[in-house]
Amino acid sequence: MRKTIIAGNWKMYKTIKEAIELSNGIKRELFKLDNPGIDIVLCPAFTALSEVAEVVAESDIMLGAQDLYWQDEGAFTGEVSAKMLKDAGCTFVIIGHSERRQFFGETNESVNKKIKAALANALTPIVCVGETLKQREARETFKVLEDHVRNGLDGLNKEDLLKIVIAYEPVWAIGTGKTATPEQAQEAHKYIRELLGKLYGKEAAAQVRIQYGGSVKPENISALMRQPDIDGALVGGASLQVASFAEIVKKAAEVIK
Ligand code: PEP
């Protein structure tokens, strides 16, 4: 049985004060839900991690970062290590988000090193994979997913696999208001799970949580959550408001109960 996981990627939004307000608001709203059976993860910018950690400390809400560097420490100006994220209170970290692949030169190789660094420091990586519009139109979706999964997870064993979360995020649906249809998302999730089955065995693949990300909103979460291989959501824009994020969690909880 895979536990649903909903994570909010706050990207480069929210000052420390705003992040405290948002996390407090989310905590208050989610407290009203009677044990929704969902893992909730908030991923603020690095600057707000410690403060949000304090807000969520006495709750079931967990903290994640949006990236990390694979070295423990050293002369790497501007970078933040897994050890530092642990120290700030994180238990999750997003790795290989398409915005990092697109704007900051993230590759499967760097994703792979980052996953290993996260696992070595007991952080759960949320590994993002997904095709661009051009790749989808060229019917390369599965090829891209295979490339991201095979090379991103290179060298990981079955035990490692069971400690990660995968986020299928079609790049054309991120921040665009265009969501993949539930069928398109399910097709990609099923493909990823089958590929994991080939690489690690069916039993292990059946246990891996695969979130969908790409313009998830209160209006579309229920249909997405009804798909058999969708185990939650990585939410960008709609995680920046208490009401929309809480509504997404509530609707997901209704589907899984
Ligand atoms: C994301 O940032 O991972 C994301 C899916 O963003 P949005 O929900 O805004 O499309």
Side-chain angles (χ1 to χ4, degrees):
M1 183 67 182
R2 301 185 295 266
K3 190 171 184 192
T4 299
I5 173 165
I6 298 191
N9 173 16
W10 294 359
K11 309 195 189 199
M12 199 175 73
Y13 292 100
K14 307 293 176 188
T15 60
I16 294 174
K17 185 169 170 278
E18 289 165 348
I20 292 171
E21 277 167 19
L22 177 57
S23 47
N24 261 317
I26 290 171
K27 187 169 82 168
R28 259 195 309 273
E29 277 306 304
L30 298 187
F31 186 71
K32 295 181 197 159
L33 295 182
D34 184 25
N35 185 14
I38 295 178
D39 280 344
I40 309 293
V41 187
L42 303 182
C43 305
F46 290 137
T47 48
L49 284 173
S50 297
E51 284 77 5
V52 175
E54 273 182 38
V55 173
V56 300
E58 301 294 312
S59 75
D60 291 335
I61 299 173
M62 293 174 282
L63 187 70
Q66 299 174 18
D67 190 24
L68 85 172
Y69 190 59
W70 57 81
Q71 298 280 357
D72 272 351
E73 59 182 15
F76 302 106
T77 303
E79 295 296 327
V80 177
S81 71
K83 204 168 122 190
M84 291 166 172
L85 297 181
K86 267 309 255 197
D87 187 42
C90 292
T91 46
F92 284 79
V93 58
I94 298 172
I95 296 177
H97 191 280
S98 67
E99 287 152 14
R100 299 223 55 90
R101 293 184 192 255
Q102 205 179 336
F103 305 128
F104 302 100
E106 191 84 89
T107 62
N108 289 329
E109 289 68 39
S110 56
V111 166
N112 185 254
K113 287 182 185 164
K114 289 178 180 190
I115 295 172
K116 288 174 181 165
L119 291 173
N121 287 277
L123 287 170
T124 300
I126 297 179
V127 182
C128 302
V129 300
E131 80 288 359
T132 62
L133 183 59
K134 201 166 156 214
Q135 290 164 333
R136 175 163 279 267
E137 285 174 350
R139 299 183 176 278
E140 290 173 0
T141 299
F142 292 161
K143 192 174 130 212
V144 172
L145 294 178
E146 176 166 10
D147 177 50
H148 285 175
V149 171
R150 262 187 200 276
N151 296 312
L153 307 192
D154 188 41
L156 265 61
N157 60 29
K158 205 183 282 187
E159 286 68 42
D160 295 329
L161 179 76
L162 298 178
K163 292 182 192 144
I164 73 170
V165 173
I166 293 185
Y168 168 60
E169 296 214 308
V171 181
W172 48 273
I174 298 179
T176 58
K178 279 188 209 160
T179 326
T181 63
E183 294 72 26
Q184 282 172 321
Q186 166 58 24
E187 186 186 39
H189 283 229
K190 184 165 177 273
Y191 175 81
I192 293 167
R193 200 176 301 288
E194 282 172 359
L195 174 60
L196 293 174
K198 281 186 210 149
L199 298 173
Y200 296 95
K202 267 190 163 182
E203 205 191 316
Q207 294 176 58
V208 178
R209 296 188 288 181
I210 309 177
Q211 301 174 289
Y212 168 79
S215 299
V216 170
K217 305 183 260 295
E219 297 76 37
N220 57 28
I221 183 70
S222 306
L224 288 162
M225 284 302 302
R226 278 191 211 105
Q227 300 300 317
D229 286 293
I230 298 184
D231 307 312
L234 180 53
V235 187
S239 72
L240 296 172
Q241 305 292 332
V242 174
S244 47
F245 189 69
E247 195 62 19
I248 286 170
V249 175
K250 271 183 221 169
K251 295 210 160 158
E254 277 163 23
V255 175
I256 61 168
K257 84 174 170 213

